[in-house]
Amino acid sequence: MLANYPLSPTEEAFLKDSGIEKITTKIPYLVVDNFPKLGLMTACRFLEWAANNPNGVISLPTGKTPEYFIKWTQFLLENWDKKNGLEIRTKYGLKDTKKPVLSGLQFVQIDEFYPISSSQKNSFFHYVNKFYIDGFGLDPQKALLINSDNIPLALGKKYNEIFPDYKVDLSLRFREYTNEQEKLQQESIYLIDKWCSEYEAKIREKGGIGFFLGGIGPDGHIAFNTRGSDLFSTTRLTETNFETQAVAAGDLGGIEISSNRLVITIGLDTIVHNPDAVAIIIAAGEAKAPIVKNSLESDMTNVYPATVLQKLRMGRFYMTKGAGSKLTDSVDRFYASGEWTPLKTERSVMELCKKLGKYGHRITLEDLKNDKYTSQIPNLNEHTVNGVIENIVKKLDHGLSEEKNEVILHTGPHHDDISLGILPQITKQLNENSNKCHFSVLTSGFTAVTNTFVIDTLKYTKKFLDEGKIQMVKYEDFYAAGFKLKMDKDVYHFLTNVASENKEQRMRGLCHRVVRAIVFIYGVKSTMELRDQINEIMTVLKNSYDGEKNPKNIQTLKGMIREFEEELVWAHFGVQVKNVHHLRLGFYTGDIFTEQPDKKRDVEPILNMLRDIRPTKLSLTLDPEGSGPDTHYKVLQATAEAVRQWGEEEDLSNFKIIGYRNVWFKFDAAEANVIVPVSLGDMSVMEDSFANCYLSQVNASFPSYAHNGKFSTLARITWVNQLSDVQLLLGKNYFYQHETAKVRSSHGLIFFREMSVEEFLKEARELEKSTEGML
């Protein structure tokens, strides 16, 4: 395969480093262990190209994906001839490469939201100026940038005059306008189209893009060329699809904004216009694995935009192992390398059931021998499938076993992670009176609360104050100490009015907690000060653009709203506020590139919590691959270090770690060692508690790209799909004829891993060491 695709010295070095010998995809790819090393490989290849093309045309990506590309590029340039820089260059094919000077490169911006002010820090215009023009020392005079403020519109007006609601109706390209405003909008759309054509012409006058680096969206979009884009598309103003809008929601302040915002993007043909172009797509994490597989193994098609790279001899995918895990090449390597394990047997048999559409008991020995994976099972015989069935049944039996006299600490990176991951297991634990359960969310989670939600809540708060319905402010000591008392009362009041379906009184419960939060954060001393502070917060939020980073105090207020929501969920089951712990780890700042966890700042709070609670079991999210910008992974790092340190003080030989996943990443039945049946009642409890308690999330302002709606619905769908997988192996009758009512009533399944401390620390260490030496 690679004989037809010349590799550069850097690519040769990284290919050798990966140990991969067989590549059968339609576009070549290189694989590294982890996200930081992906940045290193990309930086080395970019600098190698820049050294040979000092005046070349480049297009580089925005967002979180290029974090380590940017950091490594700067590191290598600063340390080119120093010992650490020279060691890296020697290892990865840059030993004899002269240090590149980037100021001669001609930068082309890939895409931008429209309309958006170039002064906004969440605009891509701001990003490329900060990280590339300034960060790499590029010449702004040689750059082609997309500045919404400077694109000409009808009568020389600004976009907020032409499109006052920021909505651009592209149907005006083809239909008659109906009023004077629409006439101006139609003329403006034509002018934007003209600007896009001129932008495309300028790129082609330069000979096209020489070095293109881009990420890939969950639907396969490259730049903003979403699924279905014409393979011969050029720069244009266009709409996006839901998956793209969901990903952009974090940048723009919610799906409500991103779903109504258009984009300007270079086209697929723009990317491949220069036949000698180096075009690289980078992908990190298992969440990208399905779209990577389809993009690399499909013939050229507009369904998978990245397939357009088949036109280029130097088109590439650079990815982490997780992102490439579903490639046929990777699956082949998984089964062919190392010793054969029970995991391989279980996974191959269950996948064969899916491929053939057969229940496990109907799989024949001939079926096993004819499959390229199950045929590799050692000592293959007619009892092989029964052995797999027995193992899965053991996992189900483990999930049915009773837990007594346990002190269980459930943790999550964000609010709602615990509920979406393992709520049915937790309700079973809480129903046993001898168990004590604690819950801790380790980050503030403020980024998930929109400005609009806070403004609306503060309006209600002012209304209740005016009506004298927040009576606690009248108590003599309220502003001195009383605001800290009776937190459980707010929770009880709220949930009582969930039961009575009294929306106004429910809001009153929330507003009580918001008042306490404002007094705590701002040190308010009187009701008059309280009103003034509420007005000031509303003014700040109303004057903020969507997606703008909030001042720290407002971040804290948003976080405390999320904390109240978490307390409401567990109060459904009688858990008191004192058993819900809010850690607000410091690495979580709302910046585009967040810090790595700090051992003192971020580990000590977890360690102290372990010392205070002294749990016998600890649950946490166990995601499959450590990705730099992933909060889940950073929380895992900090928790693992806290457990390790606690183990130096205590005997943890009987301590158990529960590793769960939820809507972002999923275990398969073979990876898990505990399977818990989920009834329709369990699903209703989860859906109802989510809808009633996670008030800031019900409208799904920051949804998953996999579902246009609440996360709770996506979790339910996940549980149902997991049951379908296991039913195909065990047969449906196993469930509806089971001797246990819990199994007979199951219409979904939860998968998780139970580990000893030693097993957990080993797995966490494998993830952690993948980032060692990475800046």
Side-chain angles (χ1 to χ4, degrees), residues 38-51:
L38 178 64
L40 172 61
M41 176 166 62
T42 311
C44 287
R45 181 67 182 106
F46 169 64
L47 293 172
E48 178 185 47
W49 183 91

Side-chain angles (χ1 to χ4, degrees), residues 427-446:
T427 56
K428 190 175 69 167
Q429 294 166 344
L430 288 166
N431 286 334
E432 170 53 53
N433 287 331
S434 66
N435 293 329
K436 293 181 180 177
C437 290
H438 292 255
F439 301 87
S440 180
V441 178
L442 303 187
T443 69
S444 173
F446 57 80

Side-chain angles (χ1 to χ4, degrees), residues 396 675-678 683 718-720 722-724 726-727 735 746-751:
L396 273 161
I675 298 177
V676 178
V678 180
M683 294 179 193
T718 299
W719 298 347
V720 171
Q722 290 175 171
L723 173 66
S724 298
V726 173
Q727 275 183 338
F735 291 89
S746 62
H747 294 280
L749 295 174
I750 289 173
F751 302 154

Side-chain angles (χ1 to χ4, degrees), residues 374-429:
T374 54
S375 62
Q376 300 176 47
I377 298 173
N379 304 314
L380 189 64
N381 59 60
E382 61 273 12
H383 301 297
T384 297
V385 176
N386 285 337
V388 173
I389 290 173
E390 288 171 8
N391 285 342
I392 297 297
V393 168
K394 284 179 184 176
K395 296 177 184 184
L396 273 161
D397 289 342
H398 193 168
L400 291 168
S401 62
E402 294 184 359
E403 296 170 278
K404 294 185 177 181
N405 300 306
E406 301 280 6
V407 179
I408 308 163
L409 172 58
H410 291 290
T411 70
H414 306 98
H415 306 81
D416 71 23
D417 274 328
I418 305 169
S419 173
L420 295 172
I422 48 172
L423 182 60
Q425 173 71 356
I426 294 170
T427 56
K428 190 175 69 167
Q429 294 166 344

Side-chain angles (χ1 to χ4, degrees), residues 479-507:
Y479 291 102
F483 69 91
K484 301 175 185 176
L485 307 175
K486 297 186 179 181
M487 297 285 195
D488 286 295
K489 185 177 179 182
D490 302 338
V491 172
Y492 191 78
H493 178 95
F494 185 98
L495 292 181
T496 296
N497 289 288
V498 168
S500 64
E501 297 186 349
N502 188 327
K503 182 179 177 181
E504 180 165 314
Q505 286 301 310
R506 197 168 61 203
M507 281 301 300

Side-chain angles (χ1 to χ4, degrees), residues 723-741:
L723 173 66
S724 298
D725 290 347
V726 173
Q727 275 183 338
L728 197 51
L729 177 72
L730 302 186
K732 290 183 179 178
N733 58 332
Y734 172 85
F735 291 89
Y736 66 74
Q737 292 179 355
H738 200 275
E739 61 183 15
T740 306

